[in-house]
Amino acid sequence: MRRYRAKLQRSRCFLLSVTLILVQGMQAQQAFKSPPRNVTVRAGARAQLNCQVLRATGVVQWVKDGLLLGPQRDLPGFPRYSITGDKTKGEFHLLIENVTLEDDAPYECQVGQSVSSPAIISQTVWLTVQIPPMKAYIELESAEPWIAGKEYTVMCTAPNAKPAAEITLLKDGIELTDLDSVTLSGSEDKLVNTQAEVRVKAVSADHGRYLVCKAKNPALTTAVMDTKVMTVYFPPPAPVIEGLDSSTPVKAGSTLKLLCLSHGGNPLASLQWTKDGELLSSSWEEDVSGRISRSKLVLAVMPEDNQVLLQCESVNQVSQAPLFISQLLTVYFEPVKIDLLGTFEAAEGQTVTLCCHTSSSNPPVNIRWWLGIRELNTAIQFVSKGENGGMTTMSNLTHTVSHEDNGLHLVCEAVIEGTQFSKSTSKPLNVFYPPQRVWLDNPPVGVPLQSGQSLRLLCLSSGGNPPGQLTWFKNGKAAQGTSKQVNLERGVSRDLRFILHPSDNLAIYRCDVTNQAKKVLSAQTRLKVQFAPIKVEIVVKQSVLRRGDTVSLLCLCGSSNPKANVSWTVGPNRLRGIEMAGKPAEYGGVSFKSTLSLTLTSRHHQERVTCKAFSELLSEGVSSSYTLNVHWLNKGLSGMLVLVGVVNSPEFNADMPKDVRALEDDVVYLPLMVSANPKVTTCDWIYLGKKIVEADLRYSWDSDFVLKIRNVTRHDAGVYTVECANEEGQNRISTVLHISYAPRIKMKLDLVHVDMGGTIDLMCEVEANPVVSGMFTWKWLGDGDIDLEHQHEDGTTGWLTLFNVTRAHSGSYQCDVDNGIYPPASVRTQLVVLFKPQLRKGPQWSKVTAHGDDASSVDLVCQAEGIPKVHFSWAKNGMDMDFSGDTTRYAEHTVRVGPVHTSTLHIENVSARLDYAIFTCTASNTLGDDSVDIQLLSTSRPEPPSNLRLLHVSNDSVTLEWQPGFNGGFTQKFRIRYHWMGSISYHYVDVFPPSTTVYTVRGLLPATTYNFSVNAINDMGESDFADGNTFLTVTTKEDSAVYPGPPGNADFTEPLGVWHYVFMISVSAILLPLSCMSCLLLRRWKKHQSQTGERSIISKGQDKTKTERFTDTPSRYTSTELNTASTVETNSTVYESYDSGGCHYYYPTEELTNTLYTDEAEHQEPHGHEYEEVSNEAIQQNLQHFSEISAPSDPLFGFQPWSGKDHIFDQVHGGNLNGHNGERRNGLFTEYPSPTMNSKIPFELAGELV
């Protein structure tokens, strides 16, 4: 400021000097008409300093903070500054655009001297620039949530304002007092910061409320502010339990569904359930909007839960201690078991003592005793404390058994008074008596049998209670090979099967029978068995055999029956020996000896001597052989040339093998063929440059220096050198040892990934010797057939190439290697085919129904297959759905099982206005994506089926298949309609089971053209017929000309007799007039009805007819032309069809549950196919008395002539009609009772033919 004043003083002195010099020439003085005044303005606004001069003759210019701005009105160098006003009026106003802080300064308006006037200077004025605070921001003492009850410091700052801002702090709209405010220097000169601080005590009601800081100064019309949401933690109150009344016991086996609720608290409480201090569940869910924590406990009540303390605890981060609520559980439970103890087997007249004991129950049980249908009241009962706070009951009974008690069940019944509990256990009483007889089924005594044959001995016993236990003995010892005992109608049997052995000769086989009556009966037989010699052995006394010696060979022939003959052979020559007398031997046979003397020559060396004992009766023999080892001495050495008197160093035979092959883990011999004179003294074996010593237990050699290696391994392969020496010198030779070993295999990759449609090589590597061509083979371990033709190998590597890989290629593959060395090796690899998601689509996947009542919930299911992992996203009416926020009505859950991924969108409180929309599910992975639209809508009638097609046709049946449409939100069933040329109405079949989409219509006429269609029905009505109300035309096949005959006689192939045709003609002659008369009466009745304007129909669920008025309205289900589907009235419950002069036929459309046929393939539907099911059980019982009848082929009734293939009412609920009272003659029942009529069943099925 002083600097500004000094500058102004110097300017004034200068002007005053000029003025004094020029004053003499002045005539009119300059003066300020409107001197400048102080101006205050906001930054960014426009400011104008006014200056108006009277009689301005000098230069007018403005001075800013001592700086002359210049005389020009546009003020060059100052783009925001300019001189405005009417110059002729002396207006020199300073205009400043977009005022900034640098414009805040003192200003003067100066007028220079002129010839006529001295200079003048205005008073100093100030342009004051006001700067609003940049912002206001709140700083909290801590970033952590507040805890209720504690105090915290809140600071608000308004920076860089001019003048200083005023700060106001509000909590939940209420201004806070006791603010401590200070001002500090701002970021620039002339700017100041204002800080206000206050202490705030946190309360639970503050959670979610706002802290507001407002800052304002004159530069602002509206205060700047900052807000922060207060997060306050406070403990929850004690929880409450819903779903359990402590005064009402619960029953064991039931399921308690309890809900523990904790209202309030921040954060929401965590909940856990305990039972007698043991943790049951620690899972809970939070309702953030409702500020409630819920924990559901589903407890399967067990007897052990009686008198346990159930407790729910709640706690959060700021709770001082957990809060809890507990309830004592009282459980009623039944005894788990009833033990019936004592002796239930006794002889007549004996007394049995029995005890019935029940496990713990609450309340205790009462025990009653029954023998058959008679109650026994001689028991004593005791009650004592049991497990789980219950009571056990024990009852003791003493009873003397009698003959009448045999087979009766002794029952112990446990009853809990006041409840419906009754449980019993029983055991039968047995009165013992011994078997009456035992006998054998065996070969006649004395008939010879041969050893080696199979023999079956059968033992039978009759009578006895219980049936006897049969035991076989051989020579007094238990026999082996007995079968299981077989119970017969009046006894038991047990056979003994075995192969005859010499020991069975003269053996006694005995069968004993006994039971608890302790009496033993026996039957026995003795066998006679012929057998060849048991053994033959050659004995030679001389230990050393030499050429020229005479050797004596002794042949010992073991026991045989009958005696066998002996023969000798030496090499190819047959010789006769000397046979000695036989003597009795084991098993009742005869043994003997035979000797052979032989003078040995060199040709006998290594010849085989055979002694054979042969039984001509049995055509069987036994032989034994002995190989002669004859010693002799030649003048030379075999296999080598010896020069007498010539000495030489060792020489190796040219025939000595250079290569030796062996299997791993075997014993191998490296041969040595060496000759020397004098003889070889030493031979050393060398391997890998080292001398082999016998200290290694795997190596050894004999006197001929043949090297033996035990447990040879693949590491022993290589070159072995032997070095032999004598007095004359040494020599060496090498042999190569080759080791063959089984393959060891490994996959290059255990898990292989490939994109669908790509090519992959599955490679396995092997270590083996030898490596042979074709030793690799590949197997597919999955289902179906996979092309494994492209198999390759290169040395120790084999690979399988798969082209155009599909999902069917996914699975395990096995590489097998066999190089001829056991064992072969195998290894497996897993091929995973990567493919983009493929969503399940179709009517049942694209539409879902739910009640839009703001209370129901629904699940939209989206299922896709894909690898790698599939991710789901949902959109509603094209708008993406975000489940990461606080969504209360929408939740998504994804489950993965192998390649199948399922995403479920759960919608709570379904709203028709908000949720009846198109939801798009998109499944994606790295390979692509797929999407499906799922429409959520209200329940409705089902959509029509589609793609009705023929699967099979025969002479009397047609099998159809169709695709179901959307079910409308209810379980749907299907109805087949069909028609043929000449039929008077449509026929309808309710498909069973209701949900099946493949059905066989039976009982059709051969070589007949039918028109079929199908529609769907649910609780809201019926759909149109399939494929736009079109029909499927099918012609049945020709019928066979031969009729098999009546049921049960598969061999009957003769044609029907003359009397059959006479009978059929007679029946037709009777029925034809009756049919004509019935039709005539019905036509007259119709005519009368048409005159009166009334028509009777049979209504669903009524037992009498109902009369309805009608005019010219066409009838429901009226047939027009065969190529046009009839009109369907969806709310009708009765089918009606007729033509002029024809009879009316009515077909029930109600849901029928009980079928008139069994599950067997030949009786899938009854022959009368118009009516598939009967809903009244009493009617089914009446139908069981129906007679099987034969009717002429007539589309009116839908019957065919009886052919023995399909029976009319052949079975009703599994019951066979062969057993009823009517007399069966040639497949016809001549008598049958009239069943009880019922309006719920068509009159044809009631047995009255009209």
Side-chain angles (χ1 to χ4, degrees):
M1 185 64 71
R2 292 177 180 177
R3 185 179 56 186
Y4 295 155
R5 289 175 180 175
K7 291 181 180 180
L8 288 174
Q9 187 63 33
R10 288 193 297 269
S11 299
R12 288 173 181 171
C13 293
F14 173 76
L15 292 175
L16 184 59
S17 302
V18 174
T19 301
L20 292 176
I21 295 172
L22 299 177
V23 70
Q24 295 177 357
M26 289 183 181
Q27 294 179 353
Q29 293 291 325
Q30 301 176 118
F32 291 104
K33 182 179 182 181
S34 295
R37 302 184 184 278
N38 294 332
V39 175
T40 299
V41 66
R42 287 183 60 189
R46 172 187 293 178
Q48 180 173 305
L49 299 176
N50 294 327
C51 180
Q52 187 174 8
V53 182
L54 291 175
R55 298 177 298 277
T57 56
V59 177
V60 180
Q61 58 182 337
W62 283 87
V63 177
K64 173 188 176 183
D65 198 11
L67 177 65
L68 291 171
L69 300 180
Q72 294 89 346
R73 297 185 72 85
D74 58 353
L75 299 181
F78 300 93
R80 294 186 293 108
Y81 290 22
S82 63
I83 304 298
T84 63
D86 190 349
K87 185 175 181 181
T88 61
K89 295 180 179 180
E91 294 177 346
F92 296 90
H93 308 317
L94 177 61
L95 180 65
I96 304 176
E97 301 284 350
N98 192 16
V99 175
T100 64
L101 183 62
E102 67 179 12
D103 299 326
D104 188 277
Y107 292 85
E108 291 178 350
C109 181
Q110 298 182 358
V111 181
Q113 70 179 2
S114 64
V115 176
S116 60
S117 176
I120 59 175
I121 301 172
S122 72
Q123 64 179 0
T124 300
V125 296
W126 283 86
L127 176 61
T128 301
V129 180
Q130 294 179 340
I131 306 296
M134 295 174 56
K135 60 180 179 178
Y137 58 89
I138 297 175
E139 295 178 285
L140 299 181
E141 179 181 339
S142 172
E144 298 296 326
W146 292 357
I147 298 176
K150 293 186 177 182
E151 286 192 351
Y152 297 90
T153 299
V154 178
M155 178 182 293
C156 180
T157 302
N160 296 328
K162 180 176 179 294
E166 294 181 0
I167 293 178
T168 303
L169 274 169
L170 300 96
K171 185 179 80 168
D172 194 21
I174 300 174
E175 183 175 354
L176 299 175
T177 59
D178 299 329
L179 295 180
D180 292 333
S181 298
V182 295
T183 56
L184 304 172
S185 297
S187 61
E188 297 182 26
D189 192 21
K190 301 181 183 180
L191 298 181
V192 293
N193 298 339
T194 304
Q195 289 183 346
E197 184 179 291
V198 68
R199 294 286 290 176
V200 176
K201 184 176 183 180
V203 295
S204 60
D206 292 337
H207 178 68
R209 305 294 176 86
Y210 289 93
L211 278 174
V212 179
C213 171
K214 295 183 178 180
K216 186 177 181 182
N217 72 350
L220 289 174
T221 58
T222 302
V224 294
M225 66 174 60
D226 184 23
T227 61
K228 282 194 178 296
V229 178
M230 291 180 287
T231 302
V232 181
Y233 280 1
F234 55 91
V240 295
I241 295 178
E242 294 182 356
L244 179 61
D245 184 1
S246 59
S247 62
T248 303
V250 294
K251 188 176 181 180
S254 63
T255 300
L256 274 180
K257 295 183 179 180
L258 307 179
L259 184 63
C260 180
L261 299 175
S262 175
H263 297 268
N266 186 41
L268 290 175
S270 59
L271 302 175
Q272 70 176 21
W273 288 89
T274 61
K275 183 175 71 174
D276 279 349
E278 179 183 353
L279 181 63
L280 288 180
S281 172
S282 59
S283 62
W284 74 95
E285 60 183 19
E286 297 178 352
D287 181 357
V288 178
S289 61
R291 304 304 300 166
I292 298 174
S293 291
R294 299 183 183 90
S295 178
K296 297 178 182 179
L297 177 65
V298 179
L299 179 64
V301 181
M302 306 292 290
E304 296 83 356
D305 297 328
N306 186 34
Q307 300 302 308
V308 301
L309 190 66
L310 277 180
Q311 183 170 291
C312 178
E313 297 180 358
S314 65
V315 67
N316 71 357
Q317 297 177 8
V318 295
S319 297
Q320 297 296 325
L323 300 177
F324 61 87
I325 184 173
S326 59
Q327 290 194 12
L328 192 65
L329 194 62
T330 300
V331 179
Y332 277 2
F333 56 93
E334 302 164 355
V336 177
K337 62 179 181 177
I338 301 176
D339 294 326
L340 187 55
L341 309 174
T343 302
F344 297 88
E345 297 175 344
E348 184 177 8
Q350 289 184 345
T351 299
V352 293
T353 300
L354 305 171
C355 175
C356 183
H357 181 271
T358 68
S359 59
S360 182
S361 66
N362 184 29
V365 302
N366 181 40
I367 294 179
R368 303 173 66 184
W369 291 88
W370 302 83
L371 182 59
I373 60 173
R374 177 166 54 98
E375 184 174 4
L376 304 179
N377 298 314
T378 59
I380 302 175
Q381 185 167 294
F382 305 92
V383 177
S384 59
K385 291 184 178 180
E387 297 178 347
N388 305 319
M391 305 293 287
T392 62
T393 304
M394 181 176 66
S395 179
N396 296 327
L397 174 69
T398 301
H399 177 68
T400 302
V401 299
S402 63
H403 182 72
E404 291 77 10
D405 296 339
N406 182 40
L408 295 181
H409 280 258
L410 188 63
V411 181
C412 169
E413 180 184 17
V415 180
I416 297 180
E417 302 295 341
T419 68
Q420 297 182 352
F421 171 74
S422 176
K423 186 176 182 180
S424 62
T425 183
S426 65
K427 290 185 180 179
L429 287 177
N430 286 333
V431 179
F432 300 142
Y433 56 87
Q436 299 175 349
R437 181 189 171 203
V438 62
W439 70 98
L440 301 180
D441 181 6
N442 58 282
V445 177
V447 175
L449 307 172
Q450 290 188 7
S451 176
Q453 291 180 338
S454 296
L455 182 63
R456 174 177 179 261
L457 301 178
L458 179 63
C459 180
L460 301 101
S461 172
S462 63
N465 181 40
Q469 182 66 33
L470 300 173
T471 306
W472 279 98
F473 295 92
K474 176 183 177 182
N475 293 331
K477 297 181 179 180
Q480 303 295 325
T482 59
S483 65
K484 292 183 178 180
Q485 183 167 298
V486 178
N487 293 323
L488 306 176
E489 183 177 359
R490 296 184 180 179
V492 293
S493 70
R494 170 174 272 181
D495 62 4
L496 175 63
R497 299 173 184 265
F498 57 97
I499 304 298
L500 288 172
H501 185 267
S503 62
D504 294 320
N505 186 38
L506 302 180
I508 296 176
Y509 282 86
R510 186 182 83 247
C511 177
D512 291 352
V513 61
T514 186
N515 65 0
Q516 285 82 343
K518 307 301 183 183
K519 182 178 179 180
V520 180
L521 299 179
S522 300
Q524 66 181 31
T525 184
R526 183 187 294 270
L527 301 181
K528 182 178 180 181
V529 179
Q530 297 174 337
F531 55 92
I534 297 175
K535 65 178 180 179
V536 174
E537 182 182 3
I538 297 178
V539 178
V540 179
K541 294 183 179 180
Q542 295 92 326
S543 59
V544 179
L545 304 180
R546 292 183 174 85
R547 185 177 60 179
D549 293 348
T550 299
V551 63
S552 178
L553 297 96
L554 179 64
C555 181
L556 304 178
C557 297
S559 179
S560 63
N561 181 30
K563 180 178 175 298
N565 298 322
V566 175
S567 63
W568 290 85
T569 57
V570 178
N573 302 317
R574 186 181 182 92
L575 303 177
R576 177 180 292 275
I578 301 174
E579 186 174 317
M580 302 178 183
K583 60 180 180 179
E586 56 186 340
Y587 309 138
V590 177
S591 65
F592 58 94
K593 302 177 182 178
S594 177
T595 61
L596 176 67
S597 296
L598 186 65
T599 301
L600 299 176
T601 64
S602 60
R603 67 179 179 81
H604 286 129
H605 181 61
Q606 296 300 315
E607 278 196 333
R608 177 172 294 183
V609 179
T610 302
C611 174
K612 182 176 182 180
F614 184 79
S615 174
E616 295 181 357
L617 179 63
L618 303 178
S619 299
E620 183 179 352
V622 181
S623 62
S624 178
S625 298
Y626 179 81
T627 301
L628 298 174
N629 185 14
V630 181
H631 292 240
W632 76 95
L633 181 63
N634 282 340
K635 293 181 179 180
L637 295 177
S638 175
M640 62 182 70
L641 178 62
V642 179
L643 299 177
V644 179
V646 177
V647 294
N648 61 299
S649 60
E651 293 183 358
F652 299 98
N653 196 316
D655 295 332
M656 181 174 170
K658 300 297 188 293
D659 293 278
V660 177
R661 299 184 180 275
L663 294 178
E664 193 171 30
D665 297 326
D666 280 356
V667 176
V668 64
Y669 294 88
L670 299 184
L672 178 61
M673 302 174 66
V674 62
S675 61
N677 185 25
K679 61 183 290 186
V680 172
T681 56
T682 61
C683 285
D684 296 325
W685 286 92
I686 301 170
Y687 176 62
L688 299 179
K690 295 182 180 180
K691 179 180 177 181
I692 299 176
V693 296
E694 285 189 301
D696 189 337
L697 299 180
R698 296 177 56 242
Y699 299 98
S700 63
W701 47 81
D702 56 13
S703 59
D704 293 330
F705 300 104
V706 174
L707 179 61
K708 177 181 179 181
I709 307 176
R710 300 178 181 84
N711 301 327
V712 66
T713 69
R714 64 192 68 185
H715 305 295
D716 293 324
V719 178
Y720 287 78
T721 302
V722 60
E723 188 176 88
C724 296
N726 65 358
E727 296 175 358
E728 298 301 318
Q730 62 183 18
N731 202 352
R732 63 167 53 196
I733 193 171
S734 297
T735 300
V736 180
L737 176 60
H738 302 273
I739 304 299
S740 299
Y741 48 89
R744 294 180 182 176
I745 188 173
K746 67 176 181 179
M747 293 299 301
K748 192 164 186 179
L749 291 174
D750 294 329
L751 185 64
V752 183
H753 294 84
V754 61
D755 291 340
M756 190 161 64
T759 301
I760 189 65
D761 292 321
L762 305 180
M763 306 183 70
C764 63
E765 299 174 340
V766 68
E767 177 186 358
N769 187 35
V771 176
V772 298
S773 176
M775 66 179 180
F776 289 91
T777 57
W778 289 85
K779 294 180 181 177
W780 159 245
L781 303 180
D783 297 329
D785 295 329
I786 296 296
D787 183 10
L788 303 179
E789 295 297 327
H790 302 283
Q791 300 185 24
H792 314 277
E793 58 183 64
D794 182 9
T796 59
T797 302
W799 65 94
L800 170 66
T801 303
L802 300 175
F803 299 95
N804 297 322
V805 175
T806 65
R807 291 178 56 188
H809 290 83
S810 294
S812 297
Y813 293 80
Q814 179 171 302
C815 175
D816 297 331
V817 177
D818 187 357
N819 65 344
I821 307 300
Y822 183 83
S826 299
V827 68
R828 295 181 180 182
T829 187
Q830 189 76 18
L831 178 62
V832 178
V833 179
L834 307 179
F835 59 96
K836 75 174 187 177
Q838 298 176 359
L839 283 166
R840 299 281 181 88
K841 299 179 181 179
Q844 305 307 324
W845 293 88
S846 60
K847 292 184 180 180
V848 178
T849 63
H851 295 293
D853 52 6
D854 295 322
S856 302
S857 61
V858 69
D859 289 332
L860 307 185
V861 179
C862 178
Q863 192 173 89
E865 291 187 62
I867 299 176
K869 184 178 180 180
V870 174
H871 300 277
F872 291 93
S873 61
W874 289 83
K876 176 181 173 183
N877 288 336
M879 300 295 293
D880 292 341
M881 301 181 70
D882 183 10
F883 305 105
S884 61
D886 183 17
T887 58
T888 58
R889 294 198 311 115
Y890 297 97
E892 189 270 344
H893 178 61
T894 300
V895 176
R896 177 185 180 184
V897 179
V900 180
H901 303 69
T902 304
S903 175
T904 302
L905 174 60
H906 180 76
I907 306 177
E908 285 285 348
N909 305 327
V910 176
S911 168
R913 180 176 62 86
L914 300 176
D915 298 323
Y916 282 178
I918 302 294
F919 291 84
T920 302
C921 173
T922 302
S924 60
N925 63 9
T926 56
L927 299 180
D929 55 53
D930 193 9
S931 62
V932 62
D933 289 338
I934 303 176
Q935 183 179 6
L936 179 60
L937 67 167
S938 180
T939 54
S940 64
R941 294 187 302 157
E943 294 182 352
S946 60
N947 299 328
L948 177 63
R949 66 189 187 98
L950 175 68
L951 293 183
H952 178 72
V953 61
S954 68
N955 65 325
D956 63 349
S957 66
V958 168
T959 301
L960 304 174
E961 183 186 33
W962 58 91
Q963 295 293 329
F966 179 57
N967 59 16
F970 297 97
T971 300
Q972 64 178 347
K973 59 182 180 180
F974 303 97
R975 178 175 290 135
I976 296 176
R977 181 182 72 179
Y978 63 97
H979 187 277
W980 68 94
M981 183 66 68
S983 64
I984 61 175
S985 66
Y986 279 109
H987 287 241
Y988 296 84
V989 177
D990 287 334
V991 173
F992 185 85
S995 60
T996 187
T997 57
V998 177
Y999 191 78
T1000 301
V1001 180
R1002 300 183 183 275
L1004 304 178
L1005 300 176
T1008 303
T1009 299
Y1010 288 87
N1011 295 323
F1012 291 92
S1013 57
V1014 62
N1015 72 339
I1017 305 170
N1018 68 8
D1019 291 345
M1020 295 193 69
E1022 304 179 19
S1023 72
D1024 293 338
F1025 282 88
D1027 303 322
N1029 285 335
T1030 61
F1031 52 72
L1032 176 67
T1033 302
V1034 181
T1035 302
T1036 55
K1037 295 182 179 180
E1038 295 286 345
D1039 196 4
S1040 176
V1042 178
Y1043 294 94
N1049 187 2
D1051 299 331
F1052 184 82
T1053 57
E1054 298 181 3
L1056 298 175
V1058 176
W1059 71 273
H1060 290 83
Y1061 293 103
V1062 173
F1063 177 78
M1064 295 174 62
I1065 294 172
S1066 301
V1067 173
S1068 300
I1070 295 173
L1071 292 179
L1072 185 59
L1074 291 176
S1075 301
C1076 295
M1077 186 178 297
S1078 300
C1079 291
L1080 180 61
L1081 292 175
L1082 287 172
R1083 291 182 63 183
R1084 290 182 178 180
W1085 176 81
K1086 276 186 57 180
K1087 183 176 181 182
H1088 174 71
Q1089 291 293 95
S1090 63
Q1091 292 174 356
T1092 59
E1094 295 181 352
R1095 174 164 55 92
S1096 296
I1097 66 172
I1098 299 176
S1099 296
K1100 174 181 176 182
Q1102 296 181 347
D1103 295 335
K1104 57 184 180 180
T1105 61
K1106 175 182 176 182
T1107 302
E1108 295 183 351
R1109 297 282 180 177
F1110 72 99
T1111 55
D1112 295 333
T1113 305
S1115 63
R1116 290 171 288 179
Y1117 288 86
T1118 301
S1119 173
T1120 55
E1121 296 181 357
L1122 287 178
N1123 60 351
T1124 304
S1126 65
T1127 303
V1128 179
E1129 188 173 297
T1130 58
N1131 61 352
S1132 65
T1133 59
V1134 175
Y1135 289 102
E1136 176 185 341
S1137 180
Y1138 59 88
D1139 60 4
S1140 60
C1143 300
H1144 292 261
Y1145 294 92
Y1146 305 95
Y1147 302 89
T1149 64
E1150 58 186 306
E1151 183 175 359
L1152 305 177
T1153 57
N1154 298 320
T1155 62
L1156 291 174
Y1157 51 89
T1158 67
D1159 292 332
E1160 299 177 6
E1162 63 270 25
H1163 300 296
Q1164 291 186 357
E1165 292 86 25
H1167 194 283
H1169 52 268
E1170 292 91 351
Y1171 306 97
E1172 296 296 319
E1173 302 166 357
V1174 176
S1175 61
N1176 192 314
E1177 186 176 355
I1179 297 173
Q1180 299 171 20
Q1181 296 173 356
N1182 291 334
L1183 288 174
Q1184 293 177 357
H1185 301 290
F1186 276 20
S1187 302
E1188 186 174 0
I1189 62 174
S1190 209
S1193 177
D1194 191 340
L1196 178 64
F1197 303 106
F1199 297 150
Q1200 300 182 47
W1202 178 81
S1203 63
K1205 180 179 180 181
D1206 292 319
H1207 305 162
I1208 305 173
F1209 305 117
D1210 185 38
Q1211 292 187 358
V1212 180
H1213 278 273
N1216 198 317
L1217 297 178
N1218 293 341
H1220 84 43
N1221 298 329
E1223 181 180 357
R1224 187 182 184 95
R1225 296 179 180 174
N1226 295 326
L1228 301 177
F1229 286 105
T1230 59
E1231 297 180 8
Y1232 53 89
S1234 178
T1236 303
M1237 295 298 295
N1238 190 303
S1239 63
K1240 285 191 176 182
I1241 185 171
F1243 58 86
E1244 290 92 339
L1245 292 182
E1248 299 181 16
L1249 304 179
V1250 179

